[in-house]
């Protein structure tokens, strides 16, 4: 059957979604004359003169507009025109005028072929390419170039709709997993479950903006409780940092221990004093090596404790007011970079105790009196060191220069590492935010 007048006005939907094609008044049977067709139907035949035009211009095929014989390809063209109207929200052929000349001009344009791409119309920009191709192939100018049968047209359309329904189901599943992820994060703070649910949501629908925004939120925010895997990784990183710090500390203690031997060239009054100090520095050096081999805060604290003791004992040589405060400051400052607050405060307390003992130890009989006020001057005496003033000055200069440069280099290295880590984190956060538009990424600081 060739309907010859398929158009939106002749299509109705039933109560259960079924489709009715109405008004078969101008229909014909392909390959059968009108008289023969009367034997198949109770509908009286429509006798048309040669060249007469039947049907509606808004969905009319070129051969129909030329007054030629309608074939099944004519109905295929009309189906394509109806689909175009659905997608573009306007007719393929605009036939609003009832003026005979205007209608003849439109029929002439139809015979020449029209552009059946819905995306060329203002309201058809978002049409899927599969549906646009279906419109174009169904409405080609020559009948033999069109989709061959209505069944083929139906199968192409159903294939697209099946995929569209699958996408809808995937989008629904994706949203369900996104909701589960938010519930896991809100109720139990379970970042692991939230990550897994977000991963499933994006597997179903990689364009799910809610899931992408939550992924960015999860990756750029700090969880309330760190996972066990992160704690294990932090322990490995801590051991590495302790090892590096202990090696740097051992190098410093080793260098300071060498100063004691260099002092022998200046002349010694009491070699036992230098022996004790050297022993303390060597013990600290050894403890630092132990901390490098078996990283732990206990070994590091032991090494620094020996360093504080050696720094305090230097009072016997240089008095409290030369290198003692510098050495104690180095210990308190560098230990401020350790993680546990108790150890940081403990080292500050140890440095303060050492400084107090250095200054007031002579009153307790721990140290001899190494300084006194003479008129308007403070006189500092070394009871263990002797030699020319120039050599002593050079010795003290090198010792002070070392205590000045070493902390600056160490703190600078730590500051550089921190800045590089912060930059890396910010760059990572920026890359993650590119997954979704800024307005969907959620608040950030």
């Amino acid at each position: 059957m060739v309907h010859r007048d398929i158009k939106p006005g002749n299509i109705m939907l039933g109560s259960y979604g079924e489709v009715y094609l109405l008004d078969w008044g101008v229909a014909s049977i392909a390959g059968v004359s009108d008289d023969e067709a009367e034997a198949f139907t109770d509908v009286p035949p429509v006798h048309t003169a040669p060249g007469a035009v039947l049907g509606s211009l808004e969905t009319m095929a070129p051969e129909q507009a030329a007054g030629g014989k309608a074939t099944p390809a004519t109905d295929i063209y009309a189906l394509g025109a109806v689909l175009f109207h659905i997608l573009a929200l306007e007719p393929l052929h605009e036939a609003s005028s009832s003026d005979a000349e205007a209608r003849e001009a439109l029929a002439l344009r139809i015979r020449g072929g029209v552009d059946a791409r819905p995306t060329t119309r203002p309201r058809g920009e978002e049409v899927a390419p599969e549906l646009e191709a279906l419109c174009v192939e169904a409405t080609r100018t020559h009948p033999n170039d069109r989709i061959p049968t209505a069944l083929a047209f139906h199968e192409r359309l159903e294939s697209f709709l099946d995929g569209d329904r699958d996408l809808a189901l995937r989008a629904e599943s994706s949203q369900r997993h996104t909701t589960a992820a938010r519930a896991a994060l809100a109720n139990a703070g379970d970042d692991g479950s939230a990550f897994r649910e977000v991963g499933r949501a994006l597997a179903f629908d990689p364009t799910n903006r809610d899931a992408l925004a939550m992924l960015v939120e999860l990756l750029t925010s700090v969880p309330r409780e760190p996972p066990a895997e992160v704690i294990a990784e932090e322990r490995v990183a801590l051991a590495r940092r302790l090892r590096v710090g202990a090696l740097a500390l051992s190098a410093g203690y080793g260098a300071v221990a060498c100063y004691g031997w260099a002092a022998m060239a200046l002349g010694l009054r009491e070699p036992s004093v230098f022996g004790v100090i050297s022993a303390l520095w060597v013990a600290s050096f050894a403890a630092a090596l132990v901390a490098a081999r078996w990283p732990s805060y206990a070994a590091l604290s032991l090494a620094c404790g020996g360093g504080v003791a050696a720094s305090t004992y230097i009072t016997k040589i240089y008095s409290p007011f030369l290198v003692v405060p510098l050495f104690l400051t180095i210990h308190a400052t560098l230990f401020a970079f350790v993680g546990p607050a108790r150890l940081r405060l403990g080292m500050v307390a140890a440095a303060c105790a050492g400084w107090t003992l250095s200054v007031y130890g002579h009153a307790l009989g721990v140290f001899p009196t190494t300084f006194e006020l003479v008129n308007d001057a403070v006189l500092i005496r070394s009871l263990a060191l002797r030699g020319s003033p120039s050599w002593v000055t050079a010795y003290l200069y090198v010792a002070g220069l070392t205590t000045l440069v070493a902390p600056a280099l160490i703190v600078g290295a730590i500051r550089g590492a921190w800045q590089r880590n912060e930059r890396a984190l910010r760059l990572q956060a920026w890359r993650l935010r590119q997954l979704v538009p800024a307005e969907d990424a959620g608040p950030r600081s």
Side-chain angles (χ1 to χ4, degrees), residues 14-309:
S15 302
Y16 301 98
E18 67 274 26
V19 179
Y20 295 100
L21 183 58
L22 309 179
D23 193 1
W24 293 77
V26 295
S28 65
I29 300 177
V32 178
S33 67
D34 290 339
D35 292 331
E36 291 174 320
E38 190 175 4
F40 293 99
T41 175
D42 295 332
V43 179
V46 177
H47 298 280
T48 58
V53 177
L54 291 176
S56 302
L57 283 173
E58 63 180 21
T59 58
M60 186 173 290
E63 66 273 15
Q64 208 174 355
K69 184 173 180 60
T71 66
T74 304
D75 282 350
I76 297 296
Y77 187 101
L79 285 175
V82 171
L83 179 60
F84 179 96
H85 196 158
I86 293 172
L87 299 175
L89 301 180
E90 61 182 68
L92 178 61
H93 311 142
E94 190 61 57
S96 57
S97 174
S98 58
D99 180 77
E101 291 185 3
R103 293 178 65 81
E104 181 59 31
L106 176 58
L108 185 62
R109 288 198 301 273
I110 293 172
R111 292 197 293 271
V114 297
D115 187 352
R117 293 176 296 161
T119 55
T120 62
R121 305 296 174 95
R123 291 182 288 182
E125 294 179 352
E126 300 298 327
V127 172
E130 297 89 344
L131 295 179
E132 182 166 83
L134 190 58
C135 288
V136 171
E137 292 177 36
T139 57
R140 284 177 176 149
T141 305
H142 197 283
N144 292 337
D145 295 334
R146 297 171 197 155
I147 296 173
T149 64
L151 178 60
F153 186 98
H154 163 80
E155 289 174 346
R156 289 271 299 274
L157 191 58
E158 280 298 309
S159 176
F160 174 82
L161 292 176
D162 287 342
D164 201 40
R165 281 190 286 268
D166 179 63
L167 289 176
L169 290 174
R170 293 176 70 85
E172 181 183 347
S173 298
S174 177
Q175 196 58 46
R176 185 171 64 253
H177 284 293
T178 303
T179 303
R182 290 205 175 276
L185 193 62
N187 297 335
D190 187 353
D191 287 22
S193 296
F195 265 111
R196 286 189 290 272
E197 291 294 340
V198 166
R200 294 183 182 114
L202 291 175
F204 277 111
D205 182 9
T207 64
N208 185 334
R209 291 190 173 187
D210 289 340
L212 288 170
M214 188 170 184
L215 177 62
V216 173
E217 179 184 340
L218 285 169
L219 291 174
T220 57
S221 61
V222 179
R224 282 176 268 181
E225 293 294 335
E229 294 88 343
V230 173
I231 294 176
E233 291 175 1
E234 286 181 343
R235 287 174 179 166
V236 173
L238 175 61
R240 184 171 59 250
R241 290 195 298 269
L242 287 175
R243 183 175 291 109
V244 172
L247 288 173
L249 199 62
S250 65
Y253 286 150
V256 175
C258 292
Y259 285 132
W261 298 103
M264 295 180 66
L266 302 176
L268 299 177
R269 293 181 182 177
E270 297 185 22
S272 61
V273 174
F274 281 94
V276 172
I277 293 176
S278 296
L280 288 173
W281 286 127
V282 170
S284 300
F285 169 76
L289 289 180
V290 171
R293 179 61 182 85
W294 296 282
S296 69
Y297 278 126
L300 195 65
S301 300
L302 182 62
C304 288
V308 169

Side-chain angles (χ1 to χ4, degrees), residues 307-373:
V308 169
S311 301
T312 304
Y313 198 78
I314 289 176
T315 303
K316 275 198 169 186
I317 305 176
Y318 304 118
S319 87
F321 303 112
L322 288 179
V323 296
V324 174
L326 292 176
F327 284 160
L328 293 177
T329 300
I330 289 173
H331 284 84
T333 301
L334 296 183
F335 223 75
F337 290 99
V338 304
R342 292 181 304 170
L343 291 180
R344 295 197 298 268
L345 295 176
M347 184 52 60
V348 171
C352 290
W355 175 240
T356 303
L357 185 62
S358 177
V359 174
Y360 296 104
H362 68 281
L364 302 174
V366 177
F367 298 127
T369 301
T370 56
F371 70 94
E372 61 179 317
L373 184 62

